[in-house]
Amino acid sequence: MIEAVDRYTEMVRAKSATGALAPGSAEVYVRDVHTFAELAGAGRVLDDLTGEDVDEVLLKFAHKPDGRRSPDASGVPGAAGSVGSDGARLQSASSQARFRRSVSAFFRHAAVAGWVQLNPMSVATLKPKQRGGLRAERRALTTEQAEGLLGAARELVVAPVEVGKRADQRTELRDGLIVLLLAAVGPRVSELTRANGEDFFVNAGMRYWRIFGKGGRTRDVPLPRPVVEVLDAYLAEGRPLLDRGREPKALLLSWRGRRLARGDVQGVIDRVLARVEPERRRSVTPHGLRHTTATHLLAAATDMDAVRRVLGHSDLSTLGRYRDELPGELEAAMRVHPLLGSVRGAEIVEGGVAEAGPVEVE
């Protein structure tokens, strides 16, 4: 099995090098297939694995502690992933589904390459629901929850520096910028951590972020004024405190001066969430903030193609996966119906319609 995993790893990395596969996706595939080999047993023969063997590995992964987050990493009830009997946070349902997709891709390649006679995934019976429970119905934050998170991020950047805090530990501007970029622009976490300072430019008085996305595609996204203000403050004051000259181009740096890793972003979100009032606080992942961006832009009747371009999708149909229903959005849409603007605020009286003053809606 080890030989097959190594050859598959070489193939995936070759695709990444040629631009046929995004580096972040390649990293996930490689990590998951090595985890699969470890859980299945390195000495096993790949072609001997049955559907029952795959089911066993999927269950093992489901109960494998998620090393990226400690049980109390967020301090927020309902954080992604369940907790095991020893208190360790287990894999979330979405992580389990992703792992299953990675394993399926591995065995599809193995079948085409002739490494296995029968693809065991075709007879594996364990599905994501059985392994991790139902995924939460909502990924996107409600308006109130999103405003609470964004408010905490903006308050963080103007908060006075703690007395005695070392300069290289002052990450408030960086943390606030991360949350604002994730919630306002909705980038993939890999796009955020790969960002360089030179990717932000001004055109006709508007600040843009040139995002390098999947498959080598780029998109230029204009930034809202509140985000630009925090970005400018971070570049002028926050980033120089973290700069050690090791990553001269990277936008986001750790306190050691290294480019911020993807796994660090969740910790940043959790720290900002801890500053939100409990009644407006709900745990969210970087991908959940991407859903939040899509949901609220579409709910505000933003052109669907514009939202597609902001998120970096090649197909409009993909937006359906990133949009959650918001409470009261149908009622809000009908209150501002575009075809009834000429009669909005009118009052029905005996014998016809009389103009009334502006109608205040609760």
Side-chain angles (χ1 to χ4, degrees), residues 29-357:
Y29 284 135
V30 169
R31 184 181 68 237
D32 283 346
V33 76
H34 278 89
T35 300
F36 175 81
E38 176 188 343
L39 296 177
R44 300 290 299 274
V45 176
L46 188 65
D47 198 28
D48 288 345
L49 294 179
T50 65
E52 291 181 354
D53 294 325
V54 172
D55 284 344
E56 183 180 352
V57 172
L58 296 178
L59 279 173
K60 285 181 180 178
F61 180 80
H63 293 90
K64 185 177 182 292
D66 186 347
R68 298 172 300 173
R69 301 182 66 184
S70 61
D72 298 316
S74 66
V76 181
S82 57
V83 177
S85 58
D86 59 353
R89 190 169 296 286
L90 305 181
Q91 302 293 329
S92 67
S94 58
S95 292
Q96 295 171 45
R98 183 216 70 231
F99 180 74
R100 194 180 197 279
R101 290 194 297 270
S102 295
V103 174
S104 294
F106 170 61
F107 275 109
R108 282 198 302 271
H109 179 78
V112 171
W115 301 343
V116 295
Q117 297 182 36
L118 174 68
N119 184 344
M121 295 302 295
S122 62
V123 288
T125 59
L126 214 53
K127 304 300 179 186
K129 284 184 181 180
Q130 295 169 280
R131 293 186 288 112
L134 289 173
R135 188 178 67 189
E137 290 184 7
R138 170 177 296 280
R139 286 189 177 187
L141 298 179
T142 64
T143 301
E144 186 177 18
Q145 291 164 347
E147 288 176 348
L149 179 63
L150 291 174
R154 297 185 69 179
E155 289 174 6
L156 181 65
V157 303
V158 298
V161 176
E162 297 177 23
V163 177
K165 194 170 188 179
R166 285 170 37 185
D168 60 8
Q169 294 177 340
R170 297 175 191 170
T171 59
E172 293 83 3
L173 279 169
R174 184 203 67 185
D175 293 355
L177 176 63
I178 286 172
V179 170
L180 287 169
L181 285 173
L182 285 170
V185 183
R188 301 173 179 92
V189 66
S190 58
E191 295 170 343
L192 178 69
T193 56
R194 285 202 302 265
N196 294 324
E198 62 192 22
D199 299 338
F200 297 82
F201 63 95
V202 177
N203 183 23
M206 174 70 74
R207 181 72 70 90
Y208 285 80
W209 177 12
R210 177 159 293 166
I211 302 177
F212 293 84
K214 284 187 173 182
R217 294 188 295 269
T218 62
R219 62 189 188 277
D220 294 342
V221 179
L223 299 179
R225 172 59 57 185
V227 179
V228 173
E229 292 172 355
V230 177
L231 172 65
D232 289 342
Y234 170 71
L235 292 175
E237 306 168 28
R239 192 186 180 284
L241 295 175
L242 305 173
D243 190 6
R244 304 288 180 277
R246 297 170 179 169
E247 300 279 357
K249 294 184 177 181
L251 173 71
L252 302 173
L253 298 172
S254 70
W255 66 272
R256 292 188 176 91
R258 300 287 189 185
R259 183 183 292 271
L260 205 66
R262 294 171 50 162
D264 297 329
V265 176
Q266 183 66 58
V268 169
I269 296 173
D270 290 341
R271 284 197 295 276
V272 178
L273 271 173
R275 303 173 65 93
V276 180
E277 303 93 331
E279 62 273 13
R280 305 173 74 186
R281 184 191 307 162
R282 204 194 84 213
S283 179
V284 67
T285 63
H287 202 67
L289 289 178
R290 184 167 164 82
H291 278 250
T292 300
T293 302
T295 296
H296 288 274
L297 285 177
L298 290 171
T302 306
D303 178 71
M304 288 185 66
D305 190 60
V307 179
R308 175 192 68 79
R309 290 160 59 195
V310 166
L311 295 181
H313 290 303
S314 57
D315 194 331
L316 275 175
S317 63
T318 311
L319 284 181
R321 300 205 312 261
Y322 286 87
R323 193 210 184 286
D324 288 341
E325 183 178 340
L326 291 171
E329 67 176 331
L330 295 182
E331 292 81 358
M334 298 309 288
R335 288 193 196 108
V336 293
H337 199 299
L339 300 180
L340 299 178
S342 60
V343 297
R344 193 175 301 131
E347 182 181 274
I348 299 177
V349 297
E350 185 176 357
V353 177
E355 285 299 318

Side-chain angles (χ1 to χ4, degrees), residues 16-29:
S16 176
T18 59
L21 188 63
S25 298
E27 177 188 336
V28 169
Y29 284 135

Side-chain angles (χ1 to χ4, degrees), residues 3-25:
E3 182 182 355
V5 167
D6 289 343
R7 291 170 65 183
Y8 180 75
T9 296
E10 290 176 2
M11 182 275 295
V12 168
R13 286 178 173 157
K15 280 191 172 184
S16 176
T18 59
L21 188 63
S25 298

